[in-house]
Amino acid sequence: MGTVGTQDDPVPTVPTNGNSSGNRIDASKAAENCDSLEVVPTVPTVPTKNEQATSEPEWDDELEERAALIAEGSGCPAEWAEGFARLDPNFPPADITANRWRVFVDDCGRFIDQWASHAAALGWGPADLFGCDRQKPLARIDQAGLLWLINGRRLIALSEQEAIIETPNGGRLTYRRSTTAEPGRAALAWDLQGN
C-alpha cells in the first residue's frame, strides 16, 4: 500500500470494493483504526490420520542417539530400544485414538525401564511384547503383545510364559505368551507408524 503521506505529500487512498472510483478510504485513518482491532490467537491444528501417517519421524542421528541411551539405561535389546525411539506419542497410527496411543507409548517406556532386560533374559521377543495386528491393532486381541494389554495398569510379575497385570481395583490379569501370530497380519508397534 505504500507509506502514509507527510505534510508535503498527499495522503494516499485505497479504493474499496475493487472500484477505482467512488468511496475511498484514507490510509492514515485506516492505520489508526488498527489499534482497535481484536487480535485472535491462532490455535495449533491436530493432524488428521492421513497427515499423521506422513509425520512419522525418519531415522536420523537424534533417534539413533536416543535409542542408544534407552538401550544403555535399560539393558534392553537394541531392536527394542530402536523401535521404542521411533514411537512418537503425538502421532498415533490409523485406527488408534490419540489418548490410547499415548497410554501405549507410556506403558512401553515403563516396561523398558523396569522389565526389558528381565524379559529378554526369559526369552520374550519383540512380537511377544510389541506385536499386534497390522490392520486392527486393538481389535485383534489374539495378535496383541503384552504391552497392548497393559493399558495403563501395572505389570507385577513376569515369567517365561506368563505376565501378571494388576488392575486398578486390585484384580489380576494373566497374559500367556502365544505363538498364534498370523504371517502377514502381524506387525510391531513401530511398523504401524507409516500406515
Side-chain angles (χ1 to χ4, degrees):
M1 173 164 62
T3 60
V4 176
T6 63
Q7 283 184 335
D8 297 334
D9 296 326
V11 175
T13 58
V14 178
T16 59
N17 300 330
N19 186 352
S20 59
S21 61
N23 297 334
R24 297 174 89 62
I25 299 174
D26 184 324
S28 60
K29 289 183 182 175
E32 290 170 8
N33 290 334
C34 287
D35 292 334
S36 65
L37 294 177
E38 180 182 350
V39 176
V40 178
T42 59
V43 177
T45 59
V46 176
T48 65
K49 287 185 178 180
N50 290 338
E51 291 169 336
Q52 291 170 1
T54 62
S55 301
E56 177 187 353
E58 293 184 25
W59 194 254
D60 59 14
D61 291 340
E62 184 178 326
L63 283 177
E64 188 171 331
E65 182 178 345
R66 182 174 176 218
L69 290 171
I70 292 166
E72 183 180 318
S74 67
C76 76
E79 179 186 5
W80 301 4
E82 290 170 4
F84 179 66
R86 290 175 50 199
L87 298 180
D88 187 335
N90 296 313
F91 295 101
D95 201 43
I96 301 175
T97 65
N99 186 52
R100 180 63 177 94
W101 180 247
R102 280 190 293 275
V103 169
F104 173 75
V105 174
D106 287 346
D107 290 340
C108 290
R110 272 191 304 282
F111 179 85
I112 285 175
D113 287 343
Q114 299 169 5
W115 294 94
S117 61
H118 182 65
L122 291 172
W124 288 71
D128 299 324
L129 301 167
F130 307 98
C132 63
D133 184 82
R134 183 176 303 279
Q135 301 302 317
K136 299 281 186 188
L138 297 176
R140 293 287 309 268
I141 196 166
D142 62 320
Q143 302 290 310
L146 170 64
L147 295 170
W148 290 100
L149 301 176
I150 291 178
N151 197 17
R153 296 174 291 221
R154 193 168 70 99
L155 181 65
I156 58 172
L158 189 68
S159 68
E160 285 183 18
Q161 295 301 318
E162 294 180 343
I164 307 295
I165 303 167
E166 186 176 60
T167 65
N169 64 1
R172 296 191 175 186
L173 301 172
T174 300
Y175 172 86
R176 289 182 179 80
R177 281 175 65 184
S178 172
T179 57
T180 61
E182 296 174 31
R185 288 200 65 99
L188 298 174
W190 45 84
D191 293 331
L192 296 176
Q193 288 290 97
N195 289 347

